[in-house]
Amino acid sequence: MNNKIYKTCTRLNVNGYERTSYSSLTYGEIPKETETSYDNFKDWANEIFLIPCYKQRDKSGSVNTVYFSDDYGKERKITPRNFKNARVETQVIEYHFSDVSMLSLAERLSAAEFLQFLKDNGLTEYPK
């Protein structure tokens, strides 16, 4: 296990509109970076789950409209008719310990990750 803190940044670009979201911090294992492109509305609408959005379904249960807010707070309505293409890109950002407070680490890492972080960084006494 390496001794670093990571944050994952997910960017959704659909029809030229972009939405960025950040996940919680992770410690140790390097998260995977990915990039997926979509040319078909149905494939994209069924796969999109990383970015908060509202999906409207037709009577058969298929997604026929996706509403999401872009980085500027404007709600975008994407339908099969106006869908051109989409790309979902996941990037990993390495944090230095000096960039993150101990309180932030305690709140945002899982308990196991936080304890491992403390152990790896010199904590020698543990609660019983």
Side-chain angles (χ1 to χ4, degrees):
M1 176 182 283
N2 78 42
N3 197 6
K4 297 186 179 179
I5 299 170
Y6 301 96
K7 187 176 209 175
T8 304
C9 168
T10 302
R11 286 190 179 91
L12 167 64
N13 186 309
V14 58
N15 293 353
Y17 306 120
E18 193 163 289
R19 171 71 188 253
T20 306
S21 74
Y22 297 93
S23 73
S24 62
L25 298 176
T26 58
Y27 175 72
E29 286 291 318
I30 302 172
K32 292 185 178 181
E33 291 189 345
T34 61
E35 185 173 332
T36 308
S37 296
Y38 299 92
D39 294 325
N40 177 299
F41 175 83
K42 185 177 179 180
D43 293 340
W44 171 73
N46 289 328
E47 291 292 322
I48 185 170
F49 58 89
L50 298 170
I51 305 288
C53 64
Y54 172 74
K55 296 179 185 181
Q56 183 176 325
R57 300 179 184 273
D58 60 18
K59 290 180 183 180
S60 70
S62 297
V63 177
N64 63 4
T65 306
V66 174
Y67 297 91
F68 77 98
S69 295
D70 64 14
D71 283 340
Y72 300 103
K74 182 160 172 113
E75 186 172 81
R76 304 296 179 170
K77 178 179 176 181
I78 308 297
T79 65
R81 178 177 259 168
N82 71 0
F83 180 82
K84 296 173 188 160
N85 57 35
R87 186 178 79 249
V88 179
E89 179 181 351
T90 303
Q91 295 178 323
V92 176
I93 302 165
E94 181 181 328
Y95 270 58
H96 297 282
F97 298 136
S98 61
D99 295 338
V100 185
S101 71
M102 192 61 78
L103 177 61
S104 180
L105 289 176
E107 291 174 343
R108 298 169 69 190
L109 291 177
S110 69
E113 288 175 326
F114 185 64
L115 289 174
Q116 187 64 47
F117 169 80
L118 293 173
K119 181 180 172 185
D120 291 346
N121 290 281
L123 181 68
T124 55
E125 294 186 31
Y126 304 98
K128 297 191 190 255

